[in-house]
Amino acid sequence: MSKFNTPTTVKITSIIEETPTIKTIKFDKTFDFIPGQFIMVWIPGLDEIPISLSGPDQITVKNVGKATEALHKMNKDEYIGLRGPYGNGFSIEGKKILIIGGGVGIAPMKTLAVSKDKDITSIIGAQTKKELFFKEHFPNLHVCTDDGTEGEKALTTQVTERLLKEQKFDAVAACGPEIMLKYLFDICKRHKIATYFSMERWMKCGLGICGHCSIDPSGWRVCKEGPVANSKILDDSEFFKYRRNQSGIKKKI
Amino acid sequence: MNLKTNVSGLKLKRPTILAAGILGTHKSLLLRIEREGRPGAVTTKSITLEPRIGHNNPIMVETEGGFLNAVGYSNPGIEEIKKEFRDLSEFKEPIIASLVAGNADEYSRLAQSAKELDFPAIEIPLSCPHTPGFGLMAGHGTPEATYDIVKAVKREIKVPLIAKLSPNTPALGEVAKAAEKAGADAIAAGNTLGPGMVIDINTAKPVLDFKFGGMSGPAIKPIAIRMVYDIYQTVKIPIIGIGGITTGSDAIEMMMAGATAIGIGTAAHYRGIDVFEKIHHEMETWLESNGYSSVKETIGIANEE
């Protein structure tokens, strides 16, 4: 009898190179999920890491370390272990939403961008043209790159500031590097707009029992009450200030 | 209903304790457990002299009636812990520090260092089944090793000392007696069972990174009950019963076997952070319907020789 919190091994059905550093891995399993939820991905014999779903049967992963490097080297018909979906996902009140994806953070935001019941405007940003992906999925899209090779030569924060001045949104939803989210949060606070960010912390069990991913000072568990944090959780917390490493030692961001 | 209990001077308003290793990593999380769950006390994640990254993921896997875990004592080390836990004044109930080391000498140094903080009780696990250099993998499960370690720690501290034993110990009664003789103020019975394994047949690989892991959860409750029952007949010091307790009736069953207080861990997954409060209500209801006026009256009543 398979258990919910044990990896189910399934075959990889296809691998798509989205950018030189990012690949989408499709697998032989369909998750019934809420945009923003994640799964724990077991690379058999190596590691298990949390990755947001970029679709019911896929994850989109950047090569940043040993585990993701191993994922990138995998082939069709090889087995990976999956369990989930975990986390709260995006639950956004209001109709007119501004969605922002930075770098590989574009991947989970795609699942929210395809929502039929919201009036969505999108911003996606990357270092350079080659690192952009999933453009076709984002409605009312504003593209920006650090080097100006596509779209505006700007940061997602700068485009956000402009759009928030020009239009009235009910909420902002974003995923990307924590340093990007830090500046984005300041902008959202100034505009007093409902904010939903998908956050990350070092995860071990992924199911809310080990405590490793919980944040100060609330004890909010990224894997269980998160990973999507609203303004109340983001404000006056360890987010944007420090995070804990594999031993639990605090490190400045 | 009087749910108070006293574990050798560790006074608890309610008889439940958050077990070590569950949601005990950060001070802010322990405070949250205290607020939302209202256990009688909380226990920290086990602390070592040096920081430890522990085992890689997967560290946990679900099984029938429970989980296997092989966390590997990951923790920031006593120096970081002393910074984070310097101010314990926000805790309304006792916070027990779990200290773990590789041998009696290291235990002694660790206890000396921890003394700088005001933890009202110390727990020493002599029982982890899956971390090289500690617990059973370091031979701590013998009466001799138990005596040496308990004595070494007792020399350093003034607060109640709890020795946490393993259900996997063959000479359990002897080990418990050795702990008592060395000055332990209470026995925590027990730790995870096994260790066990889960193998994925599609890849022919063990799932846990460490391959083996200790078993916890409802499936091990009968083992924990028997452990408490045996130790109650062997020592006079109070026992904290730990293992598979999920409901109020489980808790009463454990106390009737001989436990003075109950450790709860995996049940926080099945029933939420407020599992402690749920268990308290269930205990109260049962005790009232069955003519008891205090939970203390149930201790050891199933254990008549």
Side-chain angles (χ1 to χ4, degrees):
Chain A
M1 280 157 277
S2 74
K3 296 264 128 196
F4 184 79
N5 295 301
T6 295
T8 304
T9 41
V10 296
K11 284 189 179 172
I12 293 173
T13 52
S14 62
I15 299 173
I16 302 144
E17 265 190 41
E18 306 287 355
T19 80
T21 61
I22 296 173
K23 285 187 184 174
T24 290
I25 296 167
K26 286 187 143 185
F27 38 73
D28 190 15
K29 183 173 161 71
T30 308
F31 284 95
D32 186 10
F33 76 108
I34 303 164
Q37 284 189 307
F38 67 97
I39 53 174
M40 290 297 281
V41 178
W42 179 42
I43 302 117
L46 185 66
D47 203 352
E48 188 191 41
I49 53 178
I51 304 181
S52 297
L53 287 161
S54 54
D57 63 347
Q58 58 181 258
I59 49 175
T60 302
V61 188
K62 184 168 173 156
N63 184 348
V64 294
K66 277 210 188 92
T68 46
E69 185 184 10
L71 271 176
H72 271 231
K73 290 203 172 102
M74 291 183 87
N75 300 298
K76 183 171 178 304
D77 292 334
E78 281 189 70
Y79 280 101
I80 45 170
L82 310 172
R83 59 184 174 98
Y86 293 117
N88 61 341
F90 288 100
S91 239
I92 300 175
E93 285 180 25
K95 199 128 170 42
K96 193 162 157 64
I97 317 290
L98 178 59
I99 289 181
I100 304 147
V104 72
I106 291 169
M109 299 320 290
K110 170 243 207 180
T111 63
L112 186 61
V114 302
S115 301
K116 299 276 183 279
D117 60 337
K118 303 282 186 199
D119 171 10
I120 293 169
T121 303
S122 329
I123 304 171
I124 66 172
Q127 285 187 330
T128 184
K129 177 189 169 105
K130 277 214 197 92
E131 287 300 325
L132 291 165
F133 63 103
F134 282 172
K135 280 183 288 186
E136 64 274 25
H137 299 291
F138 288 85
N140 300 316
L141 177 61
H142 302 257
V143 173
C144 57
T145 45
D146 294 1
D147 63 8
T149 48
E150 182 157 334
E152 239 180 286
K153 182 170 196 276
L155 301 173
T156 54
T157 43
Q158 292 164 313
V159 184
T160 302
E161 181 92 77
R162 192 183 71 240
L163 290 183
L164 287 182
K165 284 200 185 110
E166 290 172 1
Q167 303 177 47
K168 189 163 185 337
F169 292 96
D170 295 323
V172 168
C175 184
E178 196 156 332
I179 191 82
M180 169 191 116
L181 296 176
K182 172 181 165 152
Y183 291 109
L184 205 54
F185 189 51
D186 286 339
I187 293 168
C188 291
K189 271 204 284 190
R190 267 189 283 112
H191 287 264
K192 294 191 170 64
I193 186 164
T195 309
Y196 302 87
F197 289 169
S198 177
M199 305 303 293
E200 288 188 311
R201 278 298 179 267
W202 196 296
M203 272 184 205
K204 294 199 180 212
C205 74
L207 50 110
I209 196 81
C210 75
H212 206 88
C213 70
S214 83
I215 61 150
D216 299 324
S218 56
W220 190 82
R221 295 169 290 184
V222 178
C223 70
K224 191 94 175 165
E225 284 90 33
V228 178
N230 62 21
S231 318
K232 189 153 164 277
I233 297 294
L234 293 167
D235 216 5
D236 278 334
S237 69
E238 73 172 56
F239 283 132
F240 318 128
K241 301 189 181 93
Y242 62 86
R243 57 189 299 161
R244 296 180 192 251
N245 67 8
Q246 196 174 0
S247 319
I249 299 175
K250 298 177 196 172
K251 298 281 175 200
K252 257 183 153 181
I253 289 174
Chain B
M1 177 58 56
N2 186 344
L3 291 183
K4 291 199 188 127
T5 190
N6 188 333
V7 183
S8 286
L10 183 64
K11 292 195 181 125
L12 305 177
K13 295 193 186 93
R14 299 170 290 278
T16 58
I17 304 174
L18 172 72
I22 308 303
L23 298 167
T25 40
H26 311 149
K27 181 177 147 194
S28 58
L29 184 54
L30 286 165
L31 283 167
R32 178 187 173 190
I33 307 301
E34 199 186 73
R35 263 191 328 264
E36 291 180 24
R38 299 191 3 105
V42 295
T43 314
T44 66
K45 174 105 187 80
S46 299
I47 304 156
T48 51
L49 278 167
E50 298 298 325
R52 287 180 53 86
I53 60 174
H55 300 312
N56 285 330
N57 292 347
I59 52 118
M60 237 175 136
V61 67
E62 191 168 7
T63 58
E64 205 57 52
F67 284 84
L68 299 186
N69 89 78
V71 177
Y73 283 137
S74 69
N75 76 100
I78 187 68
E79 293 309 316
E80 283 296 317
I81 290 290
K82 285 199 296 197
K83 285 185 209 156
E84 182 155 347
F85 287 83
R86 184 148 302 280
D87 179 12
L88 295 178
S89 60
E90 288 165 275
F91 285 96
K92 295 194 171 74
E93 308 302 345
I95 164 173
I96 302 163
S98 173
L99 305 177
V100 71
N103 56 54
D105 179 61
E106 279 181 25
Y107 262 108
S108 178
R109 282 193 283 134
L110 183 52
Q112 271 172 41
S113 186
K115 241 192 331 201
E116 287 171 40
L117 297 185
D118 285 317
F119 288 111
I122 302 289
E123 179 176 274
I124 51 175
L126 302 166
S127 38
C128 177
H130 57 254
T131 309
F134 298 91
L136 302 185
M137 295 195 78
H140 294 174
T142 65
E144 298 76 23
T146 302
Y147 183 88
D148 288 342
I149 290 169
V150 171
K151 196 127 187 133
V153 177
K154 189 69 184 167
R155 239 182 255 128
E156 304 298 334
I157 66 173
K158 291 185 170 62
V159 296
L161 174 60
I162 304 159
K164 182 162 163 178
L165 307 184
S166 166
N168 316 308
T169 310
L172 186 58
E174 297 306 307
V175 171
K177 268 196 260 185
E180 184 182 50
K181 197 149 160 264
D185 298 291
I187 304 279
N191 206 326
T192 49
L193 187 65
M197 283 187 86
V198 171
I199 292 172
D200 172 68
I201 62 171
N202 286 327
T203 56
K205 286 191 156 71
V207 177
L208 293 171
D209 173 70
F210 188 65
K211 300 190 177 50
F212 320 111
M215 186 160 180
S216 69
I220 75 164
K221 189 188 71 165
I223 309 294
I225 300 280
R226 189 273 311 168
M227 214 187 147
V228 168
Y229 191 96
D230 280 356
I231 294 175
Y232 189 78
Q233 295 185 349
T234 329
V235 299
K236 290 189 170 58
I237 52 178
I239 304 166
I240 299 169
I242 315 175
I245 307 299
T246 313
T247 63
S249 56
D250 292 338
I252 290 170
E253 185 185 352
M254 184 65 100
M255 292 183 82
M256 288 185 175
T260 299
I262 307 292
I264 289 156
T266 305
H269 164 73
Y270 294 110
R271 303 190 71 189
I273 284 175
D274 58 346
V275 61
F276 309 91
E277 198 65 327
K278 287 174 176 158
I279 286 177
H280 300 148
H281 289 148
E282 288 158 4
M283 289 176 89
E284 274 170 340
T285 306
W286 189 92
L287 291 164
E288 264 155 27
S289 323
N290 287 272
Y292 292 88
S293 54
S294 80
V295 78
K296 277 194 203 167
E297 292 165 31
T298 63
I299 299 174
I301 63 173
N303 203 328
E304 333 276 45
E305 250 152 306

